[in-house]
């Protein structure tokens, strides 16, 4: 009887250890996935900013004033 209880206890302990390892592995995979997504968004954001900076630097001063005028408050126009 005692031997059976020990075997059941070992089986339960093994089950919970395996469950804990699976949880940790899934959590690590989730963190890595989120980090990859953030890196991809960061790279896309840098590309978008470069495009906007290039577009603004290619504008003449009058074009720049007229394009950026919409960002001013009404009393500043």
């Amino acid at each position: 009887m005692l031997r059976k209880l020990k075997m059941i206890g070992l089986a339960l302990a093994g089950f919970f250890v395996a469950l804990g390892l699976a949880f940790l592995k899934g959590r690590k995979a989730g963190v890595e996935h989120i980090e990859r997504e953030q890196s991809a968004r960061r790279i896309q954001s840098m590309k978008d900013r470069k495009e906007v900076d290039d577009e603004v630097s290619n504008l003449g001063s009058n074009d720049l004033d007229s394009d950026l005028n919409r960002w001013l408050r009404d009393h500043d126009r």
Side-chain angles (χ1 to χ4, degrees), residues 40-65:
R41 282 194 296 254
R42 192 175 300 123
I43 290 169
Q44 186 60 43
S45 177
M46 285 188 247
K47 288 178 183 178
D48 293 344
R49 173 152 184 186
K50 182 173 178 356
E51 288 177 14
V52 169
D53 286 346
D54 290 344
E55 184 180 322
V56 169
S57 67
N58 289 333
L59 290 175
S61 62
N62 289 336
D63 293 331
L64 184 62
D65 285 342

Side-chain angles (χ1 to χ4, degrees), residues 5-65:
L5 288 176
K6 284 183 182 180
M7 292 300 286
I8 291 173
L10 285 175
L12 283 174
F15 171 76
F16 285 116
V17 167
L19 187 65
L21 290 175
F23 172 77
L24 292 175
K25 183 178 178 182
R27 184 177 168 110
K28 183 179 178 184
V31 167
E32 289 172 352
H33 176 73
I34 294 296
E35 287 174 349
R36 283 192 306 270
E37 283 183 355
Q38 286 176 341
S39 293
R41 282 194 296 254
R42 192 175 300 123
I43 290 169
Q44 186 60 43
S45 177
M46 285 188 247
K47 288 178 183 178
D48 293 344
R49 173 152 184 186
K50 182 173 178 356
E51 288 177 14
V52 169
D53 286 346
D54 290 344
E55 184 180 322
V56 169
S57 67
N58 289 333
L59 290 175
S61 62
N62 289 336
D63 293 331
L64 184 62
D65 285 342

